[in-house]
Amino acid sequence: MTMTKGLKIRHKLFAVFVLSNVLLIVSMWQVFQWSFDKGFVSYATERDRDFLEQMANRTANLYIYYDDWYFLVQESRMESEWQQAKLENLRDLVPPPSTPNLDLIYPSQYYRQRFLLFDSQKTPIIGEVKFADAETHAVKVNKKVVGYVGLRSIRELVQDQTVRFVRQQGEAFLLISAFMLIIAALLTWPLAQWLSRPITSMQRATKKLAAGKFETRIAVNGSDELASLSCDFNNLACTLEHTREARKRWVADTAHELRTPVAILRGEIEAMQDGIIKVTPDSLASLQQETLHIARLIDDLNQLSMHDVGSLSYNMEDIAINDIIEQTVQSMTLPFNEAGLDLIFEYSQKKPIVMNGDADRLHQLFSNLMNNSLKYTNAPGTLTVKLKKANKKAIILFEDSAPGVSDEDKEKIFEQFFRVENSRNRATGGRGLGLAICSNIVDGHQGTISAYHSPDGGLGIKIEFPLN
């Protein structure tokens, strides 16, 4: 399946970094604007209110003296005319008018430019600003409001006098931000390439793995998520490699196991056809024995394949596992006695151990394990089967006498077609599938099976089943 080419991950990482920086700059600019408007204007407004209270008291004293607002209106008009004359005669030095009362109320030129006066009805006397749009304070004489002094809003003044400064600062901020963005982009591109390098390496390795090169591995650097993903990839590749080798070995072993009895059958049948071997009950029995061997081998392979694909059925019910073991021991006692071996079952508890399982499969499990010891234990010898309950588990131990197995073989005895290449591998040995089937049955009961060195000098098998 082909995929359309798009942006590579390093391009996406680069775009994410650049867009993040752009969003950060825009956010900082918005915060700067909001902070100036909210912080500075609020501070100036509070200062105006404190100043207006003082000016209202001074204005009230002057109103008592003049008994009207004409004195302030006259001085304000004179000052306005002087400001206009000064603008029209820039080359001439126009002396300022005498405004003692305004000087007393608003000594600062900063406040003189914003001075407002309203009468008791809130009608503008000085200034053309509506009463609701100004910062005002009542002028009281004998507890009676005779007018209002006010100031133009600081926001208007800021817009008139400082907007140019703010704009200049904003432009400088944007230029600096653009310069930093370029630097960030130059640093981000190699960073994006560095971050995407492990992913690119994994992509190449995945293509090799898909092509059947299961020996492919990725170098693991660091301890982050990508390093963990590389470890998982290597584990996957290792598992696939082992699976391929196991499949090859399984096919070769199956062919070998089938070739031997088929070759014997073919040879005996050809000998009968040529008259070398006469057709007698004994020769037919030999043919039947090889046929049964092939049938058992095919049945074992069928059970293993059914377990692998999950189609091997289990009729689960509550059973007493001690009864299953005891019945199996009784059925195997005679063959053990004939082989010069002792079969011992140790179970000290009085109450039965009940678990959920398939009685027929468990009987097959225990029979296979006992048959394994029957084939490979030297006479005189012993097989001891122990059953106990611990930590909500049923623990079953199979411990036989010599010969034992090596540490290396102990880890492989549950593999299909594996036979121990020592004294336990007699000519009368099995097909190498019995313990593999046992492992599958235990797995079907959510249990565990493991091998260890028996204290009697042979092989020990430990099985644990959960008790619900």
Side-chain angles (χ1 to χ4, degrees), residues 36-100:
F36 176 83
D37 183 67
K38 190 74 175 177
F40 174 75
V41 174
S42 297
Y43 164 75
T45 301
E46 290 297 326
R47 190 177 63 172
D48 287 350
R49 290 171 182 171
D50 294 338
F51 187 77
L52 276 173
E53 185 177 359
Q54 301 175 18
M55 297 305 98
N57 294 331
R58 296 179 185 178
T59 305
N61 293 331
L62 291 173
Y63 185 85
I64 294 173
Y65 180 77
Y66 289 101
D67 197 26
D68 59 20
W69 297 117
Y70 178 77
F71 68 99
L72 287 180
V73 175
Q74 183 66 22
E75 290 185 4
S76 178
R77 183 183 298 113
M78 293 170 57
E79 190 170 55
S80 297
E81 293 175 354
W82 171 73
Q83 291 285 356
Q84 186 65 27
K86 186 177 179 181
L87 291 175
E88 295 175 355
N89 303 279
L90 299 177
R91 298 181 180 180
D92 300 332
L93 296 177
V94 180
S98 176
T99 55

Side-chain angles (χ1 to χ4, degrees), residues 120-183:
S120 58
Q121 304 301 321
K122 301 181 180 179
T123 301
I125 299 175
I126 299 177
E128 298 178 355
V129 178
K130 294 182 180 180
F131 182 85
D133 298 336
E135 290 290 339
T136 60
H137 196 284
V139 180
K140 295 182 180 181
V141 176
N142 296 327
K143 297 183 180 181
K144 180 182 178 182
V145 177
V146 297
Y148 297 88
V149 291
L151 292 172
R152 279 199 305 147
S153 173
I154 186 64
R155 297 180 183 275
E156 296 182 15
L157 190 65
V158 167
Q159 292 176 359
D160 293 339
Q161 297 183 1
T162 63
V163 69
R164 183 178 302 174
F165 170 77
V166 174
R167 185 183 296 113
Q168 290 175 351
Q169 294 301 312
E171 292 175 354
F173 175 80
L174 292 177
L175 287 175
I176 295 173
S177 300
F179 178 72
M180 297 302 297
L181 182 62
I182 294 174
I183 294 178

Side-chain angles (χ1 to χ4, degrees), residues 167-421:
R167 185 183 296 113
Q168 290 175 351
Q169 294 301 312
E171 292 175 354
F173 175 80
L174 292 177
L175 287 175
I176 295 173
S177 300
F179 178 72
M180 297 302 297
L181 182 62
I182 294 174
I183 294 178
L186 294 176
L187 295 176
T188 298
W189 177 247
L191 177 63
Q193 288 186 315
W194 177 73
L195 288 175
S196 63
R197 190 175 302 146
I199 301 176
T200 304
S201 176
M202 191 172 300
Q203 181 186 24
R204 292 195 297 266
T206 303
K207 290 181 179 180
K208 292 181 180 179
L209 197 65
K213 299 179 180 180
F214 299 132
E215 69 279 1
T216 304
R217 298 294 185 273
I218 299 176
V220 180
N221 298 316
S223 58
D224 55 7
E225 290 82 355
L226 288 176
S228 178
L229 184 59
S230 299
C231 290
D232 293 339
F233 177 89
N234 291 339
N235 292 334
L236 174 62
C238 183
T239 301
L240 291 175
E241 186 177 16
H242 289 167
T243 302
R244 180 183 63 180
E245 297 301 324
R247 186 183 70 242
K248 291 181 178 179
R249 187 171 64 251
W250 187 86
V251 172
D253 291 341
T254 303
H256 173 74
E257 292 295 329
L258 290 172
R259 185 185 299 114
T260 301
V262 169
I264 294 175
L265 280 174
R266 179 181 178 182
E268 291 185 358
I269 292 174
E270 289 179 352
M272 291 179 184
Q273 290 176 339
D274 295 338
I276 299 175
I277 298 178
K278 295 182 179 181
V279 179
T280 64
D282 291 337
S283 61
L284 292 177
S286 176
L287 294 178
Q288 183 185 22
Q289 186 66 30
E290 294 301 326
T291 304
L292 291 175
H293 180 77
I294 295 175
R296 285 194 297 267
L297 177 60
I298 293 175
D299 184 63
D300 290 344
L301 292 173
N302 181 57
Q303 287 193 38
L304 290 174
S305 62
M306 290 176 65
H307 181 274
D308 290 338
V309 300
S311 60
L312 187 62
S313 61
Y314 289 87
N315 299 318
M316 309 298 282
E317 58 183 354
D318 290 338
I319 57 174
I321 190 171
N322 51 291
D323 292 341
I324 302 295
I325 298 177
E326 188 173 1
Q327 293 171 7
T328 309
V329 169
Q330 291 176 358
S331 65
M332 295 295 297
T333 299
L334 181 59
F336 267 77
N337 291 337
E338 292 176 352
L341 302 173
D342 294 329
L343 180 58
I344 303 172
F345 177 45
E346 295 182 359
Y347 177 62
S348 58
Q349 297 185 10
K350 296 181 179 179
K351 295 183 179 181
I353 299 178
V354 179
M355 63 170 285
N356 189 256
D358 187 325
D360 293 335
R361 296 295 179 187
L362 291 176
H363 180 77
Q364 180 186 8
L365 166 67
F366 302 141
S367 298
N368 284 355
L369 293 174
M370 293 179 190
N371 274 313
N372 187 71
S373 295
L374 179 63
K375 294 174 183 177
Y376 299 126
T377 304
N378 294 333
T382 305
L383 170 62
T384 303
V385 183
K386 301 177 182 179
L387 173 63
K388 60 183 179 179
K389 179 180 178 181
N391 299 325
K392 296 183 179 181
K393 292 182 179 180
I395 301 177
I396 310 166
L397 304 177
F398 291 79
E399 297 176 345
D400 60 23
S401 55
V405 297
S406 64
D407 291 335
E408 181 180 359
D409 292 338
K410 180 168 63 66
E411 304 299 329
K412 300 179 180 179
I413 61 174
F414 297 107
E415 297 180 3
Q416 299 174 10
F417 295 114
F418 179 79
R419 293 189 181 89
V420 179
E421 298 298 333

